[in-house]
């Protein structure tokens, strides 16, 4: 087993400092939104987590495609790491969204296109993990996982459009349009700065965690090889 | 003979083989039909459908029924090949792997449409609501083909897993949601006699779903049956 790379240690520190800075900015630098009050501050984490969730799933589908082309297990490990991180960040996105929606929309959940799409996306990737769990052969597991990661990722925008054809109440803060969206607000300078910082910090955190998860998968593989070599010796 | 004709003949031969086997046993068809009827009956009790409310629910009931019966058939289509070891035989055939996928898709589609062909008139009879409209038949065709296109791809993976009996619906349903949403909306709209221009987006979505997943499956199937 190799030692922890210096770059990873650096990334760990950067993520920790960044998270601290982003949190301080959210609480002390960004102003309290006039209509919604302090609960609006959940926005900075909510959107950042949602963005990283989508990034992870895109990354997983992309790595899956490269795995199918090259057959290098490295890409399969990256793909799994992407899916697992995507599930975690999307869940953070859903939970923070519900905390915000309770006072603003007066409900934890509505069947709005974005909410519904994220919920279905979580189910797609839960199914991905179940598919992988059902296959013992590592190489076959990698191939099937890659195919399903691609199929699943393509279905997500289709799901969104199919539900979008009905109306939505989810606010679009960036590049917005619908004046009827509930809980919409305009960002001031400090708000935008805080938002951009939390987006960048969450993205750094994503790459940090991705690296850790990748190393974990590599070690698990090495242990598996060592173990099978062990049992082969015992069997003789 | 040109390569394309050989390819099409291989597809036709494998589809005919599946359908002949099914025709002799009628294993899948009868199971799907009985199961479909049971689902429709359960809906009747579960929803206590009053005549006035039926119209709005019909599309949903129809497509839940078709989706459930569809997974039943798809699972069986590949499980039978796997259990008899005949999948290896097919893989030895000197044709492109995608021909195997397309023939399985076609035979599953025929069986699913045959089931729908019996379920639809029976539904019309039980609930006194005519479903045999040209528009609805088009939706059934597009919806079932999209469902089978994705379903056959996922079923070919699911049967190779340890958990194959429970895996297919879990893999298929979340991916099939856009298809089912569009099919339910289009069916409901045709029943309500809405303007065609309002139904068009749903029909386009159904067609797009078919095309996108045909292309994906075409490229991905090779990696699933690789030995």
């Amino acid at each position: 087993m190799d030692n922890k790379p210096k770059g990873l240690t650096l990334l760990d520190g950067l993520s920790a400092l960044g998270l601290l800075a982003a949190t301080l900015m959210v609480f002390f630098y960004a102003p309290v939104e006039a209509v919604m009050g302090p609960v609006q501050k959940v926005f900075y984490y909510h959107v950042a987590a949602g963005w990283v969730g989508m990034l992870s799933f895109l990354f997983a589908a992309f790595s899956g495609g490269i795995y199918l082309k090259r057959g290098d297990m490295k890409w399969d490990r990256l793909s799994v790491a992407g899916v697992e991180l995507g599930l975690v960040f999307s869940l953070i996105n859903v939970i923070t969204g519900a905390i915000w929606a309770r006072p603003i929309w007066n409900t934890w959940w509505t069947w709005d296109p974005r909410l519904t799409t994220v919920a279905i996306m979580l189910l797609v990737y839960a199914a991905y993990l179940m598919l992988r769990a059902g296959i013992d052969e590592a190489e076959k597991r990698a191939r099937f996982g890659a195919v399903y990661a691609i199929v699943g990722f393509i279905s997500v925008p289709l799901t969104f459009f199919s539900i979008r054809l009905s109306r939505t109440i989810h606010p679009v803060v960036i590049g917005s349009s619908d004046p009827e969206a509930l809980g919409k607000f305009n960002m001031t300078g400090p708000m935008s700065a805080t938002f951009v910082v939390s987006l960048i910090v969450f993205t750094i955190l994503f790459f940090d965690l991705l690296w850790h998860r990748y190393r974990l998968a590599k070690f698990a593989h090495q242990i598996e090889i060592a173990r099978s070599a062990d049992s082969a010796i015992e069997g003789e | 003979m040109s390569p394309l004709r050989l390819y099409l003949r291989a597809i036709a031969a494998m589809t005919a083989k599946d359908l002949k086997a099914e025709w002799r046993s009628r294993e899948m068809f009868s199971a799907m039909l009985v199961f479909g009827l049971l689902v429709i009956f359960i809906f009747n009790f579960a929803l206590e459908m009053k005549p006035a409310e039926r119209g709005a629910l019909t599309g949903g009931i129809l497509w839940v029924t078709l989706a459930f019966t569809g997974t039943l058939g798809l699972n069986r289509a590949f499980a039978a090949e796997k259990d008899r070891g005949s999948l290896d035989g097919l893989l030895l055939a000197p044709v492109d792997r995608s021909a195997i996928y397309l023939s399985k898709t076609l035979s599953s589609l025929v069986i699913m449409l045959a089931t729908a062909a019996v379920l639809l008139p029976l539904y019309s009879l039980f609930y006194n609501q005519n479903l045999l409209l040209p528009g609805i038949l088009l939706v059934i065709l597009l919806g079932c083909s999209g469902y089978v296109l994705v379903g056959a791809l996922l079923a070919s993976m699911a049967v190779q897993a340890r958990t194959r009996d429970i895996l297919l619906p879990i893999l298929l349903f979340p991916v099939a949601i856009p298809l089912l949403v569009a099919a339910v909306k289009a069916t409901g709209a045709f029943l309500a006699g809405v303007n065609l221009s309002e139904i068009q987006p749903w029909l386009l979505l159904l067609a797009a779903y078919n095309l996108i997943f045909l292309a994906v499956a075409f490229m991905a199937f090779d990696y699933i049956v690789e030995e």
Side-chain angles (χ1 to χ4, degrees):
Chain A
M1 295 212 176
D2 50 0
N3 290 321
K4 190 170 167 183
K6 281 218 175 65
L8 185 56
T9 313
L10 186 74
L11 213 53
D12 283 349
L14 212 58
S15 322
L17 280 178
L19 270 181
L20 186 68
T23 308
L24 288 176
M25 276 181 90
V26 166
F27 282 105
F28 301 111
Y29 178 65
V32 174
E33 208 271 333
V35 183
M36 289 184 270
V39 75
Q40 177 271 337
K41 285 177 187 280
V42 94
F43 161 84
Y44 303 109
Y45 283 180
H46 171 70
V47 180
W51 145 251
V52 171
M54 283 309 290
L55 179 72
S56 315
F57 291 138
L58 172 69
F59 181 84
F62 189 70
S63 315
I66 297 179
Y67 171 77
L68 288 182
K69 278 271 161 274
R70 303 218 184 126
D72 183 350
M73 281 308 247
K74 185 174 91 182
W75 291 102
D76 177 57
R77 283 171 211 141
L78 285 171
S79 190
V80 184
V83 167
E84 288 184 0
L85 287 176
L87 279 169
V88 171
F89 280 100
S90 300
L91 211 55
I92 293 174
N93 175 253
V94 169
I95 292 168
T96 51
I99 292 170
W100 175 86
R102 177 72 193 138
I104 306 300
W105 289 344
N106 202 23
T107 175
W108 297 106
W109 184 263
T110 74
W111 292 98
D112 159 273
R114 281 155 202 258
L115 277 68
T116 313
T117 304
V118 172
I120 293 166
M121 194 168 74
L122 286 169
L123 289 174
V124 166
Y125 290 99
Y128 170 95
L129 293 182
M130 284 178 199
L131 171 66
R132 289 187 73 102
I135 299 164
D136 299 322
E137 214 180 305
E139 186 262 345
K140 190 185 262 186
R141 186 165 58 216
R143 271 193 283 125
F144 287 13
V147 169
Y148 196 68
I150 295 168
V151 169
F153 191 74
I154 291 171
S155 81
V156 170
L158 287 171
T159 303
F160 181 72
F161 283 127
S162 72
I163 307 167
R164 187 73 189 259
L165 283 171
S166 55
R167 257 162 88 198
T168 174
I169 66 164
H170 191 290
V172 181
V173 176
I174 299 142
S176 84
S177 50
D178 190 0
E180 280 178 46
L182 273 178
K184 201 173 115 54
F185 63 98
N186 292 315
M187 277 199 279
T188 62
M191 277 182 170
S192 304
T194 310
F195 176 59
V196 169
V197 167
S198 71
L199 271 188
I200 293 170
V201 166
F202 266 70
T203 310
I204 295 172
L205 180 66
F206 163 70
F207 284 108
D208 184 51
L209 292 174
L210 186 74
W211 198 342
H212 276 292
R213 181 63 186 85
Y214 172 75
R215 270 166 51 88
L216 191 64
K218 208 168 69 182
F219 293 153
H221 177 67
Q222 285 168 352
I223 287 172
E224 210 168 298
I225 288 175
R227 206 177 261 159
S228 61
D230 246 17
S231 58
I233 293 165
E234 274 165 28
E236 273 169 18
Chain B
M1 238 186 291
S2 72
L4 180 68
R5 275 197 62 186
L6 272 176
Y7 183 72
L8 292 178
R9 272 179 60 137
I11 293 175
M14 283 187 281
T15 312
K17 171 212 70 126
D18 282 348
L19 292 178
K20 206 178 273 174
E22 175 59 26
W23 180 254
R24 284 183 187 151
S25 65
R26 289 182 205 92
E27 221 169 34
M28 245 190 279
F29 175 73
S30 45
M32 284 165 76
L33 186 63
V34 173
F35 184 69
L37 283 174
L38 285 170
V39 174
I40 290 175
F41 288 157
I42 288 170
F43 267 121
N44 176 47
F45 301 123
L47 299 177
E48 295 280 355
M49 291 199 289
K50 295 187 186 71
E53 297 160 2
R54 267 178 214 158
L57 295 173
T58 301
I61 293 169
L62 187 66
W63 280 101
V64 170
T65 308
L66 285 174
F68 284 178
T69 53
T71 41
L72 212 62
L74 284 165
N75 228 351
R76 187 72 202 140
F78 279 92
E81 294 279 7
K82 188 92 180 143
D83 291 348
R84 294 179 197 137
S86 48
L87 191 63
D88 295 329
L90 281 180
L91 291 176
L92 285 174
V95 288
D96 197 86
R97 294 277 161 82
S98 59
I100 300 173
Y101 163 75
L102 287 177
S103 68
K104 268 283 169 240
T105 306
L106 267 178
S107 57
S108 301
L109 178 61
V110 170
I111 296 168
M112 198 172 166
L113 287 176
T115 314
V118 182
L119 285 179
L120 242 60
L122 283 177
Y123 189 100
S124 306
L125 193 110
F126 286 137
Y127 292 110
N128 195 21
Q129 184 175 37
N130 186 17
L131 289 181
L132 300 169
L133 310 168
I136 292 183
L137 297 183
L138 175 71
V139 177
I140 297 271
L141 180 66
L142 283 174
C144 287
S145 72
Y147 195 74
V148 168
L149 275 171
V150 180
L153 180 75
L154 298 180
S156 63
M157 296 200 285
V159 290
Q160 298 185 55
R162 214 170 349 96
T163 43
R164 70 176 200 191
D165 302 318
I166 49 171
L167 203 52
L168 181 63
I170 295 174
L171 293 179
L172 179 54
F173 285 172
V175 178
I177 279 177
L179 182 85
L180 293 176
V181 169
V184 168
K185 293 280 181 186
T187 308
F190 274 119
L191 272 177
V194 175
N195 248 337
L196 193 63
S197 62
E198 276 178 56
I199 311 176
Q200 210 179 10
W202 298 115
L203 294 178
L204 285 177
L205 184 62
L206 284 172
Y209 189 94
N210 272 279
L211 281 178
I212 291 171
F213 280 107
L214 177 64
V216 171
F218 206 77
M219 289 186 281
F221 192 70
D222 263 3
Y223 298 108
I224 291 172
V225 289
E226 205 170 71
E227 289 303 325

